[in-house]
Amino acid sequence: MENSNQRIVLTGFMGVGKSTIARLLSCMLGCEKIDLDSFIEKKEKRTIAAIIKRDGEARFRRIETENLRRILSENDAKIVALGGGAWTIEENRRLIKQNKLTSVWLESSFEHCWRNISLSKRERPLAKNKSGARKLFDERQKYYCLADWHFVIKPELNSFEIAKKIAEEVFSAKIN
Ligand code: S3P
């Protein structure tokens, strides 16, 4: 990897493919990645859906920020995949900036995200129905566009091609 000091967070709406692209990037670049949601689930010993349903979204956001802080300060993973709402919280954006990570927005159409949400077995309490998810999607665009880089996920590109593009452009890596 040429730009070896670069660390990034991947953001974007639920269903855009953050975790998949983080996994592919970590394979391509041979570096560690962390998925914030999985990290939280391991620490809390329960699913994100269970946290939100039992304790509410506000409590989940506090847990999310605590764990993001921990990841950013105690871990030097080069790639961090955020949950879809994490980047919309000002404190989280501040932590990311303070720790000098570059933010990458995976931008896609609502229909693309919704298709993946509906096909996924993962429970997402904040996207229970299409109209609610659409509203959230629209409200969040103003936060996502604050990210340092934007990659538009076009239907003709697969996840491997998107990861390759990010590796080449953000990390200046040569991927064959
Ligand atoms: C959320 C997205 C989820 C998860 C939680 C809340 C959100 O992650 O963090 O259900 O507010 O958009 P994914 O984006 O990986 O689905």
mmCIF file of all heavy atoms in Angstrom, residues 12-15 18-19 37 48 52 57 60-61 64 82-85 122 124-126 136 140 144, ligand 1:
data_model
loop_
_atom_site.group_PDB
_atom_site.id
_atom_site.type_symbol
_atom_site.label_atom_id
_atom_site.label_comp_id
_atom_site.label_asym_id
_atom_site.label_seq_id
_atom_site.Cartn_x
_atom_site.Cartn_y
_atom_site.Cartn_z
ATOM 1 N N GLY A 12 -22.460 5.807 4.752
ATOM 2 C CA GLY A 12 -23.499 5.698 3.719
ATOM 3 C C GLY A 12 -24.718 5.026 4.314
ATOM 4 O O GLY A 12 -24.660 4.463 5.419
ATOM 5 N N PHE A 13 -25.816 5.089 3.596
ATOM 6 C CA PHE A 13 -27.090 4.602 4.127
ATOM 7 C C PHE A 13 -27.081 3.080 4.312
ATOM 8 O O PHE A 13 -26.283 2.371 3.684
ATOM 9 C CB PHE A 13 -28.239 5.014 3.193
ATOM 10 C CG PHE A 13 -29.590 4.973 3.864
ATOM 11 C CD1 PHE A 13 -29.885 5.849 4.896
ATOM 12 C CD2 PHE A 13 -30.550 4.051 3.483
ATOM 13 C CE1 PHE A 13 -31.120 5.813 5.532
ATOM 14 C CE2 PHE A 13 -31.794 4.018 4.101
ATOM 15 C CZ PHE A 13 -32.077 4.904 5.133
ATOM 16 N N MET A 14 -27.980 2.605 5.167
ATOM 17 C CA MET A 14 -28.154 1.157 5.355
ATOM 18 C C MET A 14 -28.335 0.486 3.994
ATOM 19 O O MET A 14 -29.035 1.017 3.137
ATOM 20 C CB MET A 14 -29.431 0.891 6.179
ATOM 21 C CG MET A 14 -29.352 1.323 7.619
ATOM 22 S SD MET A 14 -30.955 1.114 8.461
ATOM 23 C CE MET A 14 -31.584 2.782 8.464
ATOM 24 N N GLY A 15 -27.723 -0.661 3.832
ATOM 25 C CA GLY A 15 -27.925 -1.435 2.608
ATOM 26 C C GLY A 15 -27.044 -1.011 1.448
ATOM 27 O O GLY A 15 -27.089 -1.616 0.379
ATOM 28 N N LYS A 18 -21.517 -1.103 2.916
ATOM 29 C CA LYS A 18 -20.314 -0.657 3.651
ATOM 30 C C LYS A 18 -19.480 -1.839 4.156
ATOM 31 O O LYS A 18 -18.261 -1.858 3.975
ATOM 32 C CB LYS A 18 -20.716 0.227 4.856
ATOM 33 C CG LYS A 18 -21.464 1.496 4.469
ATOM 34 C CD LYS A 18 -21.866 2.297 5.697
ATOM 35 C CE LYS A 18 -22.934 1.678 6.563
ATOM 36 N NZ LYS A 18 -24.275 1.584 5.985
ATOM 37 N N SER A 19 -20.153 -2.831 4.774
ATOM 38 C CA SER A 19 -19.403 -3.947 5.366
ATOM 39 C C SER A 19 -18.717 -4.781 4.285
ATOM 40 O O SER A 19 -17.568 -5.194 4.439
ATOM 41 C CB SER A 19 -20.326 -4.846 6.189
ATOM 42 O OG SER A 19 -20.932 -4.073 7.182
ATOM 43 N N ASP A 37 -20.608 -1.848 13.973
ATOM 44 C CA ASP A 37 -21.767 -2.588 14.489
ATOM 45 C C ASP A 37 -21.349 -3.940 15.080
ATOM 46 O O ASP A 37 -21.814 -4.328 16.157
ATOM 47 C CB ASP A 37 -22.814 -2.809 13.384
ATOM 48 C CG ASP A 37 -23.657 -1.560 13.140
ATOM 49 O OD1 ASP A 37 -23.587 -0.616 13.945
ATOM 50 O OD2 ASP A 37 -24.391 -1.535 12.131
ATOM 51 N N ILE A 48 -27.505 -5.318 17.515
ATOM 52 C CA ILE A 48 -27.853 -3.885 17.448
ATOM 53 C C ILE A 48 -29.380 -3.750 17.526
ATOM 54 O O ILE A 48 -29.902 -2.886 18.229
ATOM 55 C CB ILE A 48 -27.335 -3.259 16.123
ATOM 56 C CG1 ILE A 48 -25.818 -3.394 15.996
ATOM 57 C CG2 ILE A 48 -27.805 -1.805 15.977
ATOM 58 C CD1 ILE A 48 -24.997 -2.557 16.928
ATOM 59 N N ILE A 52 -31.481 -1.454 20.233
ATOM 60 C CA ILE A 52 -32.417 -0.377 19.864
ATOM 61 C C ILE A 52 -33.825 -0.699 20.367
ATOM 62 O O ILE A 52 -34.516 0.165 20.920
ATOM 63 C CB ILE A 52 -32.415 -0.139 18.338
ATOM 64 C CG1 ILE A 52 -31.030 0.359 17.884
ATOM 65 C CG2 ILE A 52 -33.515 0.852 17.926
ATOM 66 C CD1 ILE A 52 -30.866 0.548 16.382
ATOM 67 N N GLU A 57 -33.257 4.187 20.664
ATOM 68 C CA GLU A 57 -32.213 4.676 19.750
ATOM 69 C C GLU A 57 -31.222 5.597 20.466
ATOM 70 O O GLU A 57 -30.019 5.541 20.209
ATOM 71 C CB GLU A 57 -32.832 5.405 18.541
ATOM 72 C CG GLU A 57 -31.751 5.763 17.536
ATOM 73 C CD GLU A 57 -32.226 6.595 16.357
ATOM 74 O OE1 GLU A 57 -33.452 6.715 16.148
ATOM 75 O OE2 GLU A 57 -31.348 7.136 15.648
ATOM 76 N N PHE A 60 -28.673 3.603 22.158
ATOM 77 C CA PHE A 60 -27.807 2.991 21.133
ATOM 78 C C PHE A 60 -26.777 3.996 20.629
ATOM 79 O O PHE A 60 -25.604 3.681 20.477
ATOM 80 C CB PHE A 60 -28.641 2.430 19.964
ATOM 81 C CG PHE A 60 -27.804 2.103 18.756
ATOM 82 C CD1 PHE A 60 -26.851 1.092 18.799
ATOM 83 C CD2 PHE A 60 -27.937 2.832 17.579
ATOM 84 C CE1 PHE A 60 -26.042 0.808 17.693
ATOM 85 C CE2 PHE A 60 -27.136 2.564 16.465
ATOM 86 C CZ PHE A 60 -26.188 1.542 16.531
ATOM 87 N N ARG A 61 -27.212 5.247 20.396
ATOM 88 C CA ARG A 61 -26.277 6.261 19.871
ATOM 89 C C ARG A 61 -25.156 6.531 20.868
ATOM 90 O O ARG A 61 -24.017 6.767 20.472
ATOM 91 C CB ARG A 61 -27.013 7.569 19.538
ATOM 92 C CG ARG A 61 -28.017 7.468 18.396
ATOM 93 C CD ARG A 61 -27.367 7.116 17.073
ATOM 94 N NE ARG A 61 -28.363 6.808 16.043
ATOM 95 C CZ ARG A 61 -28.149 6.029 15.014
ATOM 96 N NH1 ARG A 61 -26.974 5.454 14.807
ATOM 97 N NH2 ARG A 61 -29.092 5.799 14.137
ATOM 98 N N GLU A 64 -22.843 3.666 20.634
ATOM 99 C CA GLU A 64 -22.142 3.755 19.347
ATOM 100 C C GLU A 64 -20.957 4.732 19.451
ATOM 101 O O GLU A 64 -19.838 4.417 19.034
ATOM 102 C CB GLU A 64 -23.158 4.225 18.298
ATOM 103 C CG GLU A 64 -22.660 4.253 16.874
ATOM 104 C CD GLU A 64 -23.786 4.634 15.897
ATOM 105 O OE1 GLU A 64 -24.441 5.678 16.088
ATOM 106 O OE2 GLU A 64 -24.004 3.893 14.944
ATOM 107 N N LEU A 82 -18.707 2.180 9.356
ATOM 108 C CA LEU A 82 -19.656 2.719 10.345
ATOM 109 C C LEU A 82 -21.037 2.131 10.099
ATOM 110 O O LEU A 82 -21.336 1.681 8.993
ATOM 111 C CB LEU A 82 -19.753 4.243 10.192
ATOM 112 C CG LEU A 82 -18.478 5.063 10.368
ATOM 113 C CD1 LEU A 82 -18.767 6.533 10.064
ATOM 114 C CD2 LEU A 82 -17.918 4.916 11.780
ATOM 115 N N GLY A 83 -21.912 2.192 11.113
ATOM 116 C CA GLY A 83 -23.327 1.936 10.871
ATOM 117 C C GLY A 83 -23.883 3.173 10.173
ATOM 118 O O GLY A 83 -23.306 4.271 10.277
ATOM 119 N N GLY A 84 -25.000 3.009 9.476
ATOM 120 C CA GLY A 84 -25.527 4.088 8.632
ATOM 121 C C GLY A 84 -25.855 5.398 9.324
ATOM 122 O O GLY A 84 -25.887 6.453 8.691
ATOM 123 N N GLY A 85 -26.094 5.350 10.659
ATOM 124 C CA GLY A 85 -26.473 6.590 11.350
ATOM 125 C C GLY A 85 -25.292 7.259 12.039
ATOM 126 O O GLY A 85 -25.390 8.425 12.447
ATOM 127 N N ARG A 122 -30.778 -9.439 8.082
ATOM 128 C CA ARG A 122 -30.465 -8.622 9.252
ATOM 129 C C ARG A 122 -31.626 -7.708 9.621
ATOM 130 O O ARG A 122 -32.193 -7.057 8.748
ATOM 131 C CB ARG A 122 -29.241 -7.778 8.924
ATOM 132 C CG ARG A 122 -28.383 -7.579 10.119
ATOM 133 C CD ARG A 122 -27.122 -6.888 9.738
ATOM 134 N NE ARG A 122 -27.002 -5.745 10.600
ATOM 135 C CZ ARG A 122 -26.390 -4.626 10.276
ATOM 136 N NH1 ARG A 122 -25.844 -4.498 9.099
ATOM 137 N NH2 ARG A 122 -26.322 -3.655 11.138
ATOM 138 N N ARG A 124 -33.299 -4.483 10.892
ATOM 139 C CA ARG A 124 -32.931 -3.061 11.011
ATOM 140 C C ARG A 124 -34.141 -2.292 11.536
ATOM 141 O O ARG A 124 -35.001 -1.857 10.769
ATOM 142 C CB ARG A 124 -32.484 -2.526 9.647
ATOM 143 C CG ARG A 124 -31.111 -3.043 9.204
ATOM 144 C CD ARG A 124 -30.796 -2.508 7.834
ATOM 145 N NE ARG A 124 -29.420 -2.663 7.441
ATOM 146 C CZ ARG A 124 -28.968 -3.609 6.606
ATOM 147 N NH1 ARG A 124 -29.788 -4.526 6.125
ATOM 148 N NH2 ARG A 124 -27.691 -3.643 6.264
ATOM 149 N N PRO A 125 -34.197 -2.092 12.858
ATOM 150 C CA PRO A 125 -35.389 -1.466 13.457
ATOM 151 C C PRO A 125 -35.659 -0.052 12.950
ATOM 152 O O PRO A 125 -36.785 0.416 13.051
ATOM 153 C CB PRO A 125 -35.068 -1.424 14.955
ATOM 154 C CG PRO A 125 -33.856 -2.256 15.149
ATOM 155 C CD PRO A 125 -33.170 -2.404 13.843
ATOM 156 N N LEU A 126 -34.641 0.636 12.398
ATOM 157 C CA LEU A 126 -34.875 1.998 11.919
ATOM 158 C C LEU A 126 -35.275 2.026 10.439
ATOM 159 O O LEU A 126 -35.446 3.091 9.862
ATOM 160 C CB LEU A 126 -33.635 2.868 12.154
ATOM 161 C CG LEU A 126 -33.178 2.956 13.619
ATOM 162 C CD1 LEU A 126 -32.001 3.902 13.763
ATOM 163 C CD2 LEU A 126 -34.318 3.421 14.525
ATOM 164 N N LEU A 136 -35.781 8.859 6.247
ATOM 165 C CA LEU A 136 -34.464 8.877 6.893
ATOM 166 C C LEU A 136 -33.364 9.109 5.848
ATOM 167 O O LEU A 136 -32.431 9.891 6.053
ATOM 168 C CB LEU A 136 -34.260 7.516 7.560
ATOM 169 C CG LEU A 136 -33.370 7.412 8.785
ATOM 170 C CD1 LEU A 136 -33.820 8.382 9.863
ATOM 171 C CD2 LEU A 136 -33.428 5.969 9.339
ATOM 172 N N ARG A 140 -30.793 12.397 5.731
ATOM 173 C CA ARG A 140 -29.363 12.181 6.014
ATOM 174 C C ARG A 140 -28.406 12.647 4.921
ATOM 175 O O ARG A 140 -27.200 12.697 5.159
ATOM 176 C CB ARG A 140 -29.129 10.700 6.276
ATOM 177 C CG ARG A 140 -29.679 10.296 7.624
ATOM 178 C CD ARG A 140 -29.441 8.849 7.847
ATOM 179 N NE ARG A 140 -29.787 8.456 9.201
ATOM 180 C CZ ARG A 140 -29.705 7.223 9.635
ATOM 181 N NH1 ARG A 140 -29.275 6.277 8.818
ATOM 182 N NH2 ARG A 140 -30.030 6.932 10.862
ATOM 183 N N TYR A 144 -24.199 13.081 4.981
ATOM 184 C CA TYR A 144 -23.290 12.239 4.192
ATOM 185 C C TYR A 144 -22.422 13.090 3.257
ATOM 186 O O TYR A 144 -21.260 12.787 3.045
ATOM 187 C CB TYR A 144 -24.076 11.216 3.364
ATOM 188 C CG TYR A 144 -24.778 10.156 4.182
ATOM 189 C CD1 TYR A 144 -26.073 9.739 3.865
ATOM 190 C CD2 TYR A 144 -24.147 9.544 5.270
ATOM 191 C CE1 TYR A 144 -26.725 8.759 4.598
ATOM 192 C CE2 TYR A 144 -24.796 8.564 6.017
ATOM 193 C CZ TYR A 144 -26.079 8.170 5.665
ATOM 194 O OH TYR A 144 -26.717 7.201 6.402
HETATM 195 C C1 S3P B 1 -28.446 2.278 11.505
HETATM 196 C C2 S3P B 1 -27.753 1.461 10.641
HETATM 197 C C3 S3P B 1 -27.345 0.093 10.992
HETATM 198 C C4 S3P B 1 -27.163 -0.023 12.509
HETATM 199 C C5 S3P B 1 -28.385 0.438 13.220
HETATM 200 C C6 S3P B 1 -28.765 1.887 12.901
HETATM 201 C C7 S3P B 1 -28.850 3.621 11.047
HETATM 202 O O1 S3P B 1 -26.126 -0.248 10.338
HETATM 203 O O2 S3P B 1 -26.062 0.718 12.946
HETATM 204 O O3 S3P B 1 -29.448 -0.415 12.882
HETATM 205 O O4 S3P B 1 -29.243 4.452 11.868
HETATM 206 O O5 S3P B 1 -28.760 3.860 9.812
HETATM 207 P P1 S3P B 1 -26.038 -0.539 8.729
HETATM 208 O O6 S3P B 1 -25.885 0.772 8.045
HETATM 209 O O7 S3P B 1 -24.807 -1.382 8.602
HETATM 210 O O8 S3P B 1 -27.268 -1.248 8.356
#
